[in-house]
Amino acid sequence: MNTNVVHKAESPRLAIALEERRALRANQAKAIAEKLDFWYGTNQALKNINLVIPENQVTALIGPSGCGKSTFLRCFNRMHDLQADTRYSGSIVLHPESVNLVGKEVDPIEVRMRIGMVFQKPNPFPKTVFENVAYGLRLRGFSNRTDLAERVEKALRGAAIWDEVKDRLSDSALALSGGQMQRLCIARALATEPEILLFDEPTSALDPIATAKIEELITELRQRVTILIVTHNMQQAARVSDFTAFMYLGELVEVDATSKIFTNPSKKATEDYITGRYG
Amino acid sequence: MSAVMTIEELRNGLAWRKNLDKAFVVAGLLILMSCLGLLALLFVDLVRDGAARFGWDFLTQFPSRKAERAGILSAWVGTSMIMLVTAVVALPVGVAAAIYLEEYAPKNWFTGVIEINVTNLAGVPSIVYGLLALGLFVYKFGFGQSVLSAGLTLALLILPIIIVGTREALRAVPKAIREAAYGLGATRWEVTKDHVLPYSTGGILTGLILGLSRAIGETAPIITIGALSFIAFLPDPPISGAFPFVNFAWLKSEFTAMPIQIFNWISRPDQAFQQNAAAAAAILLAMTLAMNAVAIWIRYRFRKKINW
Amino acid sequence: MSATAATRSTAMGKGAFSSLAYRKNRDRAIELILLACALVAVFTTLAIVLILVVESSYFFEHVTIREFLTDRMWTPLFDDAHYGIMPLVSGTLTVTFVALLVAIPLGTIIAIYLSEFATHRMRESVKPVLELLGAVPTVVYGYFALLMVTPFLQKFMPDLSGFNMLSAGLVIGLMIVPYVASVSEDAMRAVPRYMREGSYAMGATRLQTALRVVVPGALSGIAAAYILGISRAIGETMVVAIAAGMQPTLTFNPTEPAATITAYIVQVSLGDLPHDSIGYQSIFAAGLVLMLMTLVFNVIGFFLTRKFREAY
């Protein structure tokens, strides 16, 4: 039922959004998704997604389970390519060089080297704290110990976990608490200085205190890196993001400044979701 | 723009890493194919070496001092009888042990001991079973160097295979099925007998066939209990024309078996006997591979058919 | 209301109660039968240990442990009898070492390939075929080693003797490749998906993910595969009995003929030794050593596997 409403109301609003997109593209867009479709086999999971990801801002993706927000997020670093029988059409253009991240000619591994990701469940490797953070650098062939140490420290400081682990760098990462593990995973992603950092419900497995720390960290990181975050928690989206996109049934329903989405959404579907009528 | 590296550096490094990936794929495929190729080569070579000996006579003649007149009659009859004993003993005991461990056993140290034993027995070298049988069945129980001793030995040998296979099959039956039956007031045995067991037949059968395919090729334990390689008679048939229609004299009979016969022929320097060995080995290998193929097929069919 | 009550009382009448008691007793009886069958495993182990220890104890009445462990010759059947186990152990270790040189690299590469590179369909079709390699009767492998591998090797090594540990070891190695591969592969596949995703998301290639994340993550499981592979190689009998000769020689040179513990047991069993002779008892002493060697590896393997299962 709701989809129909959305469809009918869409066109005028989209036009305005396009205007905004052009404006953004001119100065500060980091990535732009245009007419993005995505299929698992014959099942179309994303339908005609158009979205601008502004540089050095936090963009949140919200929507009910199964709406495609994680699927969309995973297009940015081509995680879907690990599965057989998946297909993209349309584009996600990364600026300033204007490479199409989902283009067939673009190597998914190269994409993943440039765009970091933090997962729902903290997934440190069964290695030491140091080696976890150094992992991406080692993949790229870094082996100079002092150089590595500097970069690891910088990344750990960036993820606000340096003080907690500086004396435990050679301990197993699996000995850390859940919240620490997740910040370690953030440090691991930061070490290679990605152009965009993707967060896939990064706090859903954490307690409220650990969650607060991660949220604070995301707000800080915004100064340095473009962030795209999927979250189930609307308060979280409201707290950390600058822009919020609402997705429903594989489509992007509405995107706007976070303050506007949460106070005065223009779509009924968005309002219903935000006020907890479904999802 | 990634700050740790320029895009150029990043791409060059990546190209190198991807080449390593490709090299590994080639190496992996090559190794895999050469392992399978060796198996095919072995089979083809056996068939070629033994080609001259294949024929009805080879199956229906007793061993002989003259290679061209020697056959495997007593060997395959002996093997069949041993397999009969092995299957009749190992199947019920193995399935029962598996049911106990999976459906009944409480989680305590005692069950732990049984489990460790089963795991450990799977790793005991087969010749040690031969020594056990020599000391226990042949001398202590006085079964002698008989079909019965050999069958029991191989039954013990394949017990772990049947237990593990059955347990896997039992475990695959979802809890909901058991709960449904318990909910209707069934006792534990009724749940097992009416529901869990019928749904696991495929897995149990697979375990049995794999076990027997292992047993049929086992040589060392049968040599240890003293199988003879020169047997120019057949044991009494298990089924007779007169009352009571079955007899058990064959159990106490001396015997030879396919692998023993092959071993004996290989050990002779005369090349004519090695041809016999090749022919018999080709037949034994074909039987083993066929049994495995059947087991794979059953497993595949049951997996396809049942969708919990 | 009354009708329901009436039905209920019939269904739970006297007969029903007694039948429940009968069913419960039957259940208990059956449980005991099942337990007895499960105990066969325990009794088998006990019987193995008992037989080996008792028969060996007769052997050690004639032979001191010191002689057994230090004498450099093993000739129990000769007039000049020596009872030093070392030559048999050296043969066993040499063959095992050669086998591992084949089985560990090939098994590991195949495992990594199947677990990390092959498609689901390929894996499902290749694994059963690969396992056929482990199902080939050992006596057939013996034929392979003696009459195919040795002549082949002699083309490159003209001095290689007709019986040698090298061919036997190579063929045993081939035989345990599927075992090492399948246990390692199981261990690798048990490494959780999110661990791999973490690595891929950093821009790692498949090989990098396999070598840097999956293999270290599955290490105890892979170690268990190696250890259990060693135990199999030590216990393998027919290939060595056929292809390595049966001459106990204290040597670690794989190109020479030698006997292993298992080959010696076969050799004695082929003859017709009286029940009470020292030769008869000597195979139990050799069997005891074999059992202890494999037991050590099996126990290590068991605990490594369990440690691995606990990790994930």
Side-chain angles (χ1 to χ4, degrees):
Chain A
M1 280 306 283
N2 278 320
T3 15
N4 288 337
V5 177
V6 171
H7 272 295
K8 274 173 199 153
E10 197 162 53
S11 344
R13 177 61 199 164
L14 200 66
I16 302 164
L18 277 169
E19 283 302 312
E20 281 176 3
R21 248 173 249 140
R22 283 195 193 102
L24 280 164
R25 191 181 307 184
N27 45 48
Q28 51 175 354
K30 183 63 198 170
I32 298 169
E34 222 159 7
K35 293 184 183 149
L36 182 72
D37 297 314
F38 176 77
W39 289 265
Y40 290 111
T42 52
N43 175 21
Q44 185 167 8
L46 295 178
K47 294 167 196 156
N48 190 29
I49 305 279
N50 295 286
L51 179 68
V52 175
I53 312 295
E55 187 161 23
N56 290 359
Q57 304 276 339
V58 178
T59 306
L61 299 173
I62 62 169
S65 304
C67 69
K69 54 193 192 300
S70 279
T71 305
F72 180 44
L73 188 83
R74 284 169 170 247
C75 290
F76 280 81
N77 68 346
R78 300 278 293 271
M79 287 304 273
H80 298 303
D81 289 48
L82 294 169
Q83 265 173 288
D85 209 17
T86 54
R87 189 161 60 86
Y88 312 85
S89 83
S91 64
I92 298 178
V93 174
L94 183 70
H95 290 284
E97 309 121 292
S98 308
V99 286
N100 176 12
L101 294 178
V102 297
K104 278 200 176 57
E105 70 290 351
V106 177
D107 191 323
I109 299 178
E110 185 186 314
V111 172
R112 289 182 211 131
M113 289 169 76
R114 299 175 63 175
I115 295 182
M117 178 159 181
V118 176
F119 294 81
Q120 184 170 5
K121 187 173 179 228
N123 59 352
F125 305 125
K127 296 171 180 287
T128 63
V129 170
F130 183 91
E131 283 305 322
N132 260 282
V133 182
Y135 186 76
L137 298 164
R138 287 206 191 274
L139 290 180
R140 286 158 176 76
F142 284 76
S143 56
N144 180 317
R145 186 80 200 172
T146 35
D147 186 23
L148 278 176
E150 261 171 41
R151 289 174 190 278
V152 167
E153 178 177 344
K154 189 176 158 207
L156 286 168
R157 283 188 191 281
I161 191 182
W162 171 252
D163 291 330
E164 288 161 69
V165 299
K166 65 177 180 224
D167 302 320
R168 310 166 59 184
L169 291 178
S170 46
D171 289 3
S172 166
L174 301 179
L176 300 178
S177 73
Q180 286 173 327
M181 279 189 197
Q182 193 62 305
R183 275 178 289 147
L184 181 71
C185 291
I186 296 174
R188 182 174 74 187
L190 285 177
T192 53
E193 300 179 23
E195 296 167 61
I196 300 178
L197 194 47
L198 310 172
F199 286 88
D200 190 358
E201 300 189 27
T203 60
S204 63
L206 302 181
D207 62 61
I209 295 170
T211 301
K213 279 191 183 156
I214 302 274
E215 287 183 5
E216 197 186 320
L217 178 58
I218 291 174
T219 324
E220 277 171 32
L221 285 175
R222 189 175 94 191
Q223 324 289 330
R224 285 175 285 151
V225 60
T226 306
I227 291 174
L228 191 56
I229 175 171
V230 163
T231 175
H232 234 95
N233 177 334
M234 278 175 285
Q235 286 73 36
Q236 182 167 70
R239 284 192 296 265
V240 303
S241 71
D242 304 294
F243 293 90
T244 297
F246 172 64
M247 291 180 68
Y248 186 67
L249 294 175
E251 296 184 63
L252 185 70
V253 176
E254 181 174 4
V255 56
D256 217 322
T258 299
S259 52
K260 171 125 189 329
I261 287 272
F262 283 97
T263 51
N264 185 19
S266 36
K267 297 283 167 58
K268 180 149 187 317
T270 316
E271 193 182 337
D272 285 350
Y273 179 67
I274 287 164
T275 51
R277 238 162 271 169
Y278 64 93
Chain B
M1 198 58 262
S2 174
V4 292
M5 270 180 147
T6 67
I7 285 289
E8 297 314 309
E9 284 171 338
L10 189 147
R11 280 187 185 144
N12 288 338
L14 180 57
W16 164 241
R17 292 192 285 140
K18 289 186 75 164
N19 283 336
L20 278 181
D21 251 44
K22 278 180 202 140
F24 183 86
V25 169
V26 172
L29 266 176
L30 224 59
I31 288 173
L32 200 55
M33 290 308 142
S34 41
C35 281
L36 302 182
L38 275 174
L39 182 65
L41 180 83
L42 171 62
F43 191 65
V44 169
D45 224 81
L46 286 176
V47 171
R48 214 185 47 204
D49 288 355
R53 301 292 303 132
F54 288 121
W56 189 244
D57 288 350
F58 191 59
L59 295 178
T60 54
Q61 276 171 341
F62 286 114
S64 161
R65 279 187 190 82
K66 293 203 176 95
E68 63 277 10
R69 285 187 49 200
I72 56 170
L73 178 62
S74 48
W76 71 256
V77 171
T79 287
S80 314
M81 288 180 161
I82 296 169
M83 287 304 114
L84 185 64
V85 176
T86 302
V88 164
V89 174
L91 182 67
V93 175
V95 171
I99 292 174
Y100 180 78
L101 289 174
E102 210 53 49
E103 306 286 325
Y104 284 79
K107 270 210 182 315
N108 57 22
W109 66 269
F110 185 68
T111 308
V113 167
I114 300 180
E115 301 228 11
I116 291 178
N117 263 294
V118 173
T119 316
N120 181 51
L121 282 180
V124 170
S126 60
I127 197 157
V128 171
Y129 283 93
L131 292 175
L132 166 72
L134 181 63
L136 196 68
F137 298 145
V138 176
Y139 289 114
K140 280 258 153 44
F141 294 173
F143 294 161
Q145 303 173 337
S146 63
V147 170
L148 180 63
S149 293
L152 290 177
T153 311
L154 295 183
L156 287 185
L157 184 76
I158 66 169
L159 208 53
I161 301 176
I162 295 183
I163 294 179
V164 169
T166 305
R167 290 186 71 178
E168 259 170 36
L170 296 178
R171 223 173 292 152
V173 177
K175 212 174 140 197
I177 298 265
R178 292 184 177 82
E179 284 175 347
Y182 280 125
L184 293 168
T187 63
R188 202 192 299 234
W189 172 243
E190 286 159 348
V191 172
T192 308
K193 169 187 61 127
D194 297 337
H195 301 282
V196 181
L197 267 185
Y199 306 140
S200 338
T201 336
I204 295 173
L205 219 53
T206 310
L208 177 69
I209 295 173
L210 287 180
L212 289 179
S213 93
R214 163 97 192 271
I216 203 172
E218 273 298 342
T219 321
I222 310 191
I223 291 181
T224 317
I225 57 177
L228 303 174
S229 44
F230 194 90
I231 295 265
F233 59 87
L234 292 183
D236 296 337
I239 299 166
S240 60
F243 187 78
F245 304 113
V246 286
N247 80 65
F248 292 103
W250 57 281
L251 285 173
K252 299 289 269 179
S253 171
E254 292 189 311
F255 67 98
T256 188
M258 292 283 290
I260 303 288
Q261 190 63 67
I262 296 169
F263 175 58
N264 178 268
W265 280 334
I266 296 175
S267 318
R268 301 203 191 184
D270 185 352
Q271 225 177 355
F273 279 107
Q274 291 178 354
Q275 279 188 7
N276 286 355
I283 293 172
L284 182 65
L285 183 57
M287 284 163 75
T288 320
L289 296 185
M291 287 169 96
N292 275 273
V294 170
I296 291 167
W297 180 73
I298 294 177
R299 187 160 49 188
Y300 176 77
R301 263 203 52 190
F302 266 79
R303 251 191 222 161
K304 262 200 132 170
K305 215 169 79 182
I306 298 180
N307 261 323
W308 301 110
Chain C
M1 191 61 198
S2 65
T4 329
T7 332
R8 195 182 291 156
S9 67
T10 355
M12 290 187 148
K14 208 182 161 202
F17 275 115
S18 65
S19 122
L20 178 58
Y22 162 73
R23 285 162 63 207
K24 287 177 82 171
N25 282 333
R26 185 184 59 181
D27 232 49
R28 241 168 256 140
I30 285 169
E31 180 169 353
L32 285 179
I33 296 171
L34 297 177
L35 173 62
C37 289
L39 287 178
V40 168
V42 179
F43 287 129
T44 306
T45 308
L46 287 178
I48 288 175
V49 172
L50 207 68
I51 293 271
L52 290 180
V53 169
V54 168
E55 296 286 348
S56 310
S57 69
Y58 299 135
F59 174 81
F60 285 114
E61 279 172 15
H62 293 274
V63 180
T64 62
I65 300 267
R66 189 186 157 81
E67 183 187 357
F68 187 65
L69 294 179
T70 58
D71 198 309
R72 300 167 72 88
M73 290 204 342
W74 177 262
T75 54
L77 307 179
F78 291 9
D79 289 338
D80 174 27
H82 284 270
Y83 301 100
I85 193 75
M86 273 203 285
L88 296 183
V89 172
S90 76
T92 303
L93 293 181
T94 310
V95 171
T96 304
F97 182 73
V98 174
L100 293 181
L101 281 186
V102 176
I104 287 187
L106 298 196
T108 312
I109 291 176
I110 290 177
I112 293 177
Y113 179 79
L114 287 181
S115 154
E116 305 299 310
F117 289 83
T119 58
H120 176 78
R121 197 143 158 219
M122 164 128 186
R123 182 166 53 239
E124 290 304 301
S125 46
V126 165
K127 269 185 91 173
V129 182
L130 190 65
E131 269 157 31
L132 290 181
L133 267 183
V136 175
T138 52
V139 68
V140 177
Y141 271 127
Y143 181 97
F144 185 51
L146 179 68
L147 298 173
M148 296 185 210
V149 176
T150 298
F152 178 74
L153 291 177
Q154 278 170 334
K155 285 182 192 162
F156 310 98
M157 311 162 72
D159 299 336
L160 190 68
S161 94
F163 292 116
N164 62 78
M165 295 189 280
L166 184 61
S167 314
L170 291 177
V171 171
I172 293 176
L174 179 68
M175 193 173 99
I176 56 178
V177 160
Y179 185 74
V180 172
S182 135
V183 177
S184 312
E185 199 243 19
D186 285 346
M188 291 181 200
R189 298 201 47 79
V191 172
R193 206 176 105 120
Y194 58 78
M195 211 78 103
R196 284 188 185 83
E197 286 200 330
S199 173
Y200 285 129
M202 300 293 297
T205 61
R206 281 194 190 275
L207 188 60
Q208 285 177 314
T209 303
L211 296 183
R212 289 165 185 261
V213 175
V214 179
V215 169
L219 206 58
S220 58
I222 296 172
Y226 294 172
I227 298 276
L228 296 175
I230 294 176
S231 155
R232 295 212 155 186
I234 290 177
E236 173 41 39
T237 308
M238 292 320 292
V239 179
V240 272
I242 292 170
M246 295 200 196
Q247 221 34 260
T249 319
L250 183 51
T251 173
F252 291 98
N253 180 354
T255 60
E256 286 181 37
T260 60
I261 300 176
T262 52
Y264 171 73
I265 298 173
V266 165
Q267 187 193 14
V268 172
S269 307
L270 286 172
D272 211 5
L273 280 180
H275 182 27
D276 292 326
S277 65
I278 182 114
Y280 172 84
Q281 288 151 1
S282 72
I283 61 175
F284 288 91
L288 185 63
V289 173
L290 177 70
M291 181 72 188
L292 289 177
M293 283 171 79
T294 52
L295 188 69
V296 168
F297 287 110
N298 286 344
V299 167
I300 300 174
F302 177 80
F303 282 107
L304 281 172
T305 322
R306 203 165 69 174
K307 187 181 156 206
F308 179 74
R309 293 232 174 93
E310 276 164 9
Y312 296 111

